[in-house]
Amino acid sequence: MAGHISLQYGSKQVDKKTAREPLLVRILLITVALAFLFLFLLLPLAAIFIKAFEQGIGLYIASITDPDAVSAIKLTLLVVVLTVPLNALFGITAAWAITKFEFKGKSLLVTLIDLPFAISPVIAGLVFVLLFSTHGLFGDFLFQHDIKILFAVPGIVLATLFVTFPFVARELIPLMQAQGSAEEEASLTLGANGWKTFWLVTLPNIKWGLLYGVILCNARAVGEFGAVSVVSGHIRGLTNTMPLHIEILYNEYQFSAAFAVASLMSILAIVTLILKNIVEWKSGQHG
Amino acid sequence: MSIQIKEVSKTFGSFQALKNINLDIQTGELVALLGPSGSGKTSLLRIIAGLEEADNGVILFGNEEMTHIRTTERKVGFVFQHYALFKHMTVFDNVAYGLKVRSKRERPSKKDIKRKVTELLSLVKLESFADRYPSQLSGGQRQRVALARALAVEPKVLLLDEPFGALDAKVRKELRRWLRRLHDEFHITSIFVTHDQEEALDVADRIVVMNEGRIEQIGSPEEVYEQPNSPFVYDFLGNVNVFHGRLENGKWRNGDQSDAEQQALAYVRPHDLVIEREKPTEDAVQARVMHVHAVGRTVHIELKEEGAERFLEAELPKEQYRELDLQTGETVFIRPNQLKVFIPADYSI
């Protein structure tokens, strides 16, 4: 069984001879694809790095070691460290509940999981403003107990959690559905309790799908702009994540500095992409 | 360990899978639950294993009530149709699993586990496959691993859900003989689910025929084959010819169903049909030979009853077929050697 559903195109190899297109068509198709890739992906990526190093390596290093930049990087990493494990946990529980049990409101739960995909991140951010601002639903309570959520780290973490929570669950649900419960049932009849069954049977079976979901979730958590922008308050050195920091630098015409931080994020994205491919390859092997 | 099932019912949504099932299984018996798909046989097996819970009714293992005991503590061996081997573990680890997951106090030492697993692998003749992964084995080998894995925990009851259903015909036959021998050697109370009547007749001590959530008949293979107690059992266990007719003073007459009160159906096995050239009795059934399959020791002959649009099937030994020298298209007379008459409860049949 393939580790990941959307990967199956890789294993379905059409017989090359019978499916061969005329030479001209092939050249044309490949050229179009490559040109598109170059124009819309490689060129902008190169532009980021060219712009970042435009005014010399000195400024590049200064830009990314600037205290505000460092604090933005730290905050982004903190957000990732908090949201990704939580969403991995949530994703596993949700996928488990949806695929192994029958209960009322199951289809509603599946729909709700997709909600963050369906609504704009800005609205997601505004929801938290409505809930936690001084005039919001929990405003009085939070004020009385001196708890800061909005325009502080908890708000950013919450907004990121909201935006990224479908990734792991979406990855695992089709995988676990395809695998069924037979192995778990076999484990139970052999005397293993639920906890042991999860660690010894379920988790090894879903690990590549889980990792894939975690990588996607991670990429989104790092890059989330809209929802975080609404709840962060843009306090420099305190509540600015990397994307927000880049925006501020850009608005202040510090292009090279903006692109220097952007290049860091690009490197992160490329690493994620490579990891993602390794995971795909591995899950294909073990499938 | 004997098993008692008392008044067990089960519904899935609006579908009633089991209706008031009562069944006693003796220690050391090998019982087949036989029925078409949807007859409730797998549900019953899963309830015995604790993988499903009955809506009402009681399950006893020996004198111990098991109804609300979790699967983990029931000490049953369960073999799944599609093996359900742990794909990320080697054959050795699969078989050792049940021993390794025991709590520290009950877990055998590493050496004992290794000895036990090796012993079981040699029992299923897979000693040299210990380091392979399930994906590197054939279907028959996988099912043998699954059996070894189930036996490793020394179950008091062995439950098999269509164990040979996913295998090809030859392997299936081999494995069921092997299961029979295994059972004769170890005498574990075993229940296996199958929809294949030949398999049930071949392997089981006793057959429980199920249909639409009820038990139709319980008996030895001879009993259910020779003395089916309902048209369903007759039909399900082997090929059968149905003649429509009526009862007259306790004797069955073919054809003429004008008097609905006496309407009756006669069931005749293909090998109980006698084909004759001369008209044996006044009301003998006339039929036309449509097709002859002469491969193998028995010859299968397809006939069409004259005056009715019904096909009949007869089986003859080859010698008899040669003597008769039947030609396709010729008209013959048929006479049932042995028949069983059922009065349909429902006139619409």
Side-chain angles (χ1 to χ4, degrees):
Chain A
M1 202 161 289
H4 176 256
I5 299 303
S6 65
L7 305 182
Q8 284 175 353
Y9 64 87
S11 58
K12 264 188 212 157
Q13 281 195 343
V14 185
D15 185 11
K16 276 177 189 156
K17 268 191 186 142
T18 55
R20 186 164 278 180
E21 303 284 346
L23 188 67
L24 194 69
V25 176
R26 271 188 292 153
I27 290 174
L28 201 70
L29 282 175
I30 292 169
T31 316
V32 168
L34 285 181
F36 190 85
L37 217 69
F38 179 76
L39 261 176
F40 288 90
L41 291 171
L42 285 180
L43 208 59
L45 193 66
I48 292 172
F49 285 92
I50 290 166
K51 203 78 181 155
F53 288 103
E54 205 178 37
Q55 295 180 28
I57 190 130
L59 187 76
Y60 182 86
I61 290 172
S63 306
I64 59 173
T65 51
D66 174 76
D68 286 350
V70 170
S71 118
I73 294 166
K74 276 187 183 160
L75 181 60
T76 300
L77 291 179
L78 177 70
V79 169
V80 166
V81 164
L82 288 174
T83 55
V84 173
L86 277 174
N87 273 336
L89 203 64
F90 166 78
I92 293 170
T93 5
W96 182 282
I98 286 166
T99 54
K100 313 270 168 181
F101 301 107
E102 285 304 322
F103 54 90
K104 275 188 182 143
K106 190 159 137 176
S107 54
L108 186 72
L109 181 60
V110 176
T111 314
L112 281 177
I113 288 172
D114 281 343
L115 193 68
F117 278 165
I119 64 170
S120 158
V122 178
I123 296 168
L126 281 174
V127 169
F128 289 102
V129 173
L130 283 175
L131 286 176
F132 301 124
S133 71
T134 19
H135 305 293
L137 209 56
F138 302 115
D140 283 341
F141 174 83
L142 294 175
F143 184 74
Q144 277 162 20
H145 292 81
D146 197 26
I147 302 169
K148 284 203 186 89
I149 290 183
L150 217 54
F151 310 132
V153 177
I156 296 170
V157 172
L158 280 175
T160 312
L161 264 180
F162 180 85
V163 174
T164 58
F165 88 55
F167 287 99
V168 175
R170 273 278 126 203
E171 211 48 57
L172 291 182
I173 290 168
L175 176 65
M176 287 168 84
Q177 249 158 6
Q179 286 181 343
S181 318
E183 285 186 42
E184 277 84 5
E185 285 177 348
S187 169
L188 292 177
T189 60
L190 291 167
N193 58 27
W195 186 243
K196 276 182 181 158
T197 299
F198 175 76
W199 282 105
L200 297 173
V201 176
T202 309
L203 201 60
N205 274 338
I206 61 168
K207 66 180 174 204
W208 293 113
L210 178 65
L211 198 57
Y212 189 84
V214 162
I215 288 171
L216 291 181
C217 180
N218 179 65
R220 185 64 192 268
V222 171
E224 178 51 29
F225 179 81
V228 170
S229 172
V230 175
V231 297
S232 115
H234 303 268
I235 308 165
R236 275 193 208 200
L238 276 179
T239 64
N240 265 350
T241 59
M242 282 167 84
L244 300 183
H245 185 65
I246 293 167
E247 192 211 14
I248 289 177
L249 292 173
Y250 186 83
N251 286 344
E252 290 173 348
Y253 303 106
Q254 302 183 42
F255 296 129
S256 289
F259 279 106
V261 181
S263 74
L264 274 187
M265 284 186 71
S266 306
I267 290 167
L268 214 62
I270 292 165
V271 170
T272 306
L273 216 62
I274 292 168
L275 278 179
K276 194 187 96 156
N277 272 303
I278 293 173
V279 170
E280 278 183 3
W281 177 69
K282 279 272 183 194
S283 66
Q285 258 191 341
H286 289 259
Chain B
M1 180 76 49
S2 66
I3 303 171
Q4 282 179 66
I5 296 151
K6 289 181 183 168
E7 323 235 306
V8 163
S9 296
K10 173 79 183 169
T11 51
F12 294 104
S14 60
F15 174 69
Q16 190 158 12
L18 293 172
K19 298 164 188 163
N20 216 1
I21 298 288
N22 285 292
L23 180 61
D24 282 354
I25 289 160
Q26 307 306 318
T27 308
E29 239 184 337
L30 177 55
V31 172
L33 298 180
L34 175 66
S37 51
S39 60
K41 53 196 192 307
T42 294
S43 301
L44 182 57
L45 195 76
R46 291 172 62 86
I47 286 171
I48 297 170
L51 293 170
E52 304 284 352
E53 200 164 345
D55 297 339
N56 34 56
V58 179
I59 307 272
L60 295 168
F61 285 5
N63 295 320
E64 231 178 306
E65 193 182 330
M66 284 286 162
T67 319
H68 301 292
I69 304 286
R70 281 179 301 166
T71 308
T72 320
E73 276 126 46
R74 286 203 192 185
K75 294 205 162 56
V76 297
F78 202 101
V79 176
F80 295 80
Q81 180 177 5
H82 297 288
Y83 330 122
L85 293 178
F86 306 127
K87 9 181 202 312
H88 60 284
M89 295 182 200
T90 61
V91 166
F92 183 95
D93 288 333
N94 261 284
V95 178
Y97 185 86
L99 301 170
K100 280 183 180 167
V101 295
R102 285 190 187 166
S103 64
K104 268 218 173 77
R105 257 182 313 117
E106 296 168 49
R107 194 186 311 154
S109 72
K110 263 211 169 106
K111 223 176 78 193
D112 286 343
I113 291 180
K114 190 167 163 61
R115 192 178 44 76
K116 175 103 196 173
V117 172
T118 316
E119 196 182 297
L120 281 161
L121 284 179
S122 76
L123 180 74
V124 298
K125 303 198 175 57
L126 288 170
E127 305 100 311
S128 53
F129 292 83
D131 295 327
R132 300 255 190 122
Y133 283 89
S135 59
Q136 298 165 310
L137 302 178
S138 71
Q141 290 169 335
R142 287 183 207 185
Q143 199 55 298
R144 266 143 61 199
V145 176
L147 256 161
R149 181 178 71 175
L151 292 173
V153 293
E154 290 174 6
K156 290 180 274 180
V157 173
L158 187 61
L159 306 170
L160 306 104
D161 184 11
E162 303 255 5
F164 316 126
L167 303 170
D168 56 63
K170 195 158 185 278
V171 181
R172 191 153 67 206
K173 207 158 204 166
E174 239 172 67
L175 261 188
R176 74 187 189 216
R177 289 277 151 75
W178 180 83
L179 175 72
R180 182 69 241 184
R181 282 202 305 275
L182 185 84
H183 183 264
D184 291 343
E185 205 170 314
F186 293 94
H187 292 289
I188 307 170
T189 311
S190 307
I191 307 176
F192 79 101
V193 157
T194 179
H195 62 267
D196 180 349
Q197 32 99 4
E198 199 191 317
E199 192 170 291
L201 293 170
D202 198 17
V203 177
D205 294 326
R206 231 161 28 120
I207 295 178
V208 177
V209 186
M210 293 185 69
N211 183 33
E212 291 178 350
R214 290 180 208 283
I215 292 177
E216 290 272 347
Q217 189 173 0
I218 306 175
S220 68
E222 293 75 36
E223 267 164 13
V224 291
Y225 188 79
E226 302 293 346
Q227 290 137 31
N229 66 359
S230 70
F232 172 81
V233 178
Y234 218 120
D235 203 19
F236 198 72
L237 283 143
N239 294 330
V240 72
N241 295 302
V242 185
F243 291 93
H244 293 242
R246 64 199 140 79
L247 273 182
E248 250 178 42
N249 305 325
K251 284 208 80 175
W252 183 80
R253 294 259 180 266
N254 190 46
D256 185 16
Q257 293 184 295
S258 51
D259 192 352
E261 293 281 327
Q262 292 175 325
Q263 206 184 96
L265 298 173
Y267 284 70
V268 184
R269 296 268 184 231
H271 55 79
D272 285 331
L273 269 189
V274 182
I275 298 181
E276 283 167 352
R277 278 260 160 66
E278 305 298 322
K279 197 170 191 174
T281 52
E282 212 33 53
D283 60 347
V285 180
Q286 208 173 3
R288 184 187 292 275
V289 179
M290 302 303 289
H291 192 77
V292 179
H293 297 271
V295 178
R297 274 180 53 82
T298 46
V299 180
H300 298 258
I301 297 156
E302 217 175 277
L303 305 122
K304 195 173 176 187
E305 194 180 336
E306 294 273 308
E309 288 304 298
R310 267 193 299 277
F311 282 93
L312 303 171
E313 207 188 322
E315 279 174 22
L316 296 180
K318 205 153 216 167
E319 304 80 58
Q320 208 177 329
Y321 165 72
R322 286 211 188 95
E323 247 168 64
L324 270 167
D325 189 28
L326 286 174
Q327 300 299 319
T328 311
E330 92 178 282
T331 309
V332 291
F333 295 96
I334 48 174
R335 173 170 59 86
N337 224 347
Q338 192 187 347
L339 56 72
K340 182 142 177 130
V341 177
F342 293 102
I343 317 274
D346 186 350
Y347 292 146
S348 66
I349 290 174

